[in-house]
Amino acid sequence: MLEHGAPHYMSSRDRTNLPPTWFADAIAELTRRGAGDASLLFARQAGKETEPAGDVLRLAEHLERRYITDVDHPPLPKPHAWPTLVAFAAPESLLALARGCWRRQLLKLGCQFYLRAIAIGDVSARHEFADRLRRARRVDDALEQLGVLIRDGDATATTETATILLAENRPDEAIELLKPWVARERREALALTAMAHSKRAERAGPGRALHQGAAV
């Protein structure tokens, strides 16, 4: 990410004059120990399961406190650096980045981070993305995301989808979706199916509603 993102912060002249070893040279300089055995970056081997494989670069503690932990409103990346962040951010950072973008109303970028997390197999990201889409009134897009989970046998996604369909006054689709789970006598499916029949009966009119209610 650093290697691909750094050139966005350089002038066109600097980028043109970069030597082939520019990145390795830069890392060597930034990690070189100076007075007091201090450096701007520290390289350490990943030792925790949550850390990526290979070398981990960390800002010196005083820099991290000044520019990260003590800043109430961290500056955003430059606009042209976002594609690099989307493409190369560490997988374990993707959901945090997506949520941060959503809080700042950077919805398109937030979607891109969610989609990359989904592409690498993060099921929780797909659930969360579907909920974001629903809240943004992108109902069909939300249902499309949940549909992938349903095809993989995700019962929670089925319940979420049925709930959305009922909220959208689409009881027939909810009933059809829940049939396999009703056959297994799943409590949530039975309750949602009953609600769907009631909603369908209400939509049909008073006379038919009474008949439908008796049938249920």
Side-chain angles (χ1 to χ4, degrees):
M1 185 179 70
L2 287 174
E3 185 172 4
H4 286 82
H8 294 300
Y9 291 83
M10 303 177 189
S11 67
S12 57
R13 180 178 179 181
D14 289 338
R15 289 195 296 270
T16 301
N17 294 325
L18 285 177
T21 59
W22 73 270
F23 186 71
D25 294 343
I27 295 300
E29 176 63 22
L30 292 169
T31 55
R32 181 175 58 83
R33 300 299 178 94
D37 199 34
S39 63
L40 295 179
L41 287 178
F42 288 90
R44 70 173 191 268
Q45 289 292 322
K48 301 178 181 178
E49 292 182 1
T50 55
E51 292 178 342
D55 286 336
V56 177
L57 295 171
R58 187 84 182 241
L59 279 174
E61 186 177 352
H62 71 281
L63 291 174
E64 187 164 287
R65 284 202 306 269
R66 179 177 177 184
Y67 292 108
I68 299 178
T69 58
D70 290 345
V71 176
D72 292 332
H73 301 287
L76 292 173
K78 291 185 179 294
H80 45 266
W82 279 106
T84 299
L85 195 58
V86 171
F88 294 101
E92 63 271 18
S93 299
L94 294 173
L95 279 183
L97 288 164
R99 292 163 185 162
C101 287
W102 218 267
R103 284 196 303 272
R104 293 169 173 82
Q105 299 300 309
L106 302 171
L107 304 187
K108 183 177 180 180
L109 286 164
C111 289
Q112 291 175 8
F113 284 116
Y114 276 120
L115 289 172
R116 186 177 159 222
I118 289 167
I120 62 177
D122 189 335
V123 174
S124 66
R126 196 183 290 276
H127 275 285
E128 190 172 311
F129 185 41
D131 187 59
R132 296 282 194 189
L133 291 169
R134 177 188 65 80
R135 292 172 183 270
R137 300 302 304 154
R138 298 283 296 273
V139 174
D140 288 335
D141 291 329
L143 294 176
E144 182 180 348
Q145 293 297 326
L146 291 171
V148 176
L149 296 170
I150 291 171
R151 289 191 287 275
D152 291 335
D154 190 316
T156 301
T158 302
T159 301
E160 291 173 358
T161 299
T163 302
I164 292 172
L165 291 171
L166 289 176
E168 294 297 312
N169 201 24
R170 294 158 66 174
D172 294 337
E173 295 174 60
I175 292 168
E176 189 65 28
L177 172 70
L178 292 165
K179 279 182 179 178
W181 298 97
V182 169
R184 300 179 198 178
E185 298 186 351
R186 291 288 295 265
R187 181 179 300 177
E188 300 91 341
L190 291 168
L192 287 168
T193 298
M195 292 172 60
H197 278 294
S198 177
K199 188 174 285 288
R200 185 169 66 176
E202 291 173 5
R203 191 175 61 181
R208 190 173 175 186
L210 181 63
H211 175 74
Q212 292 275 357
V216 173

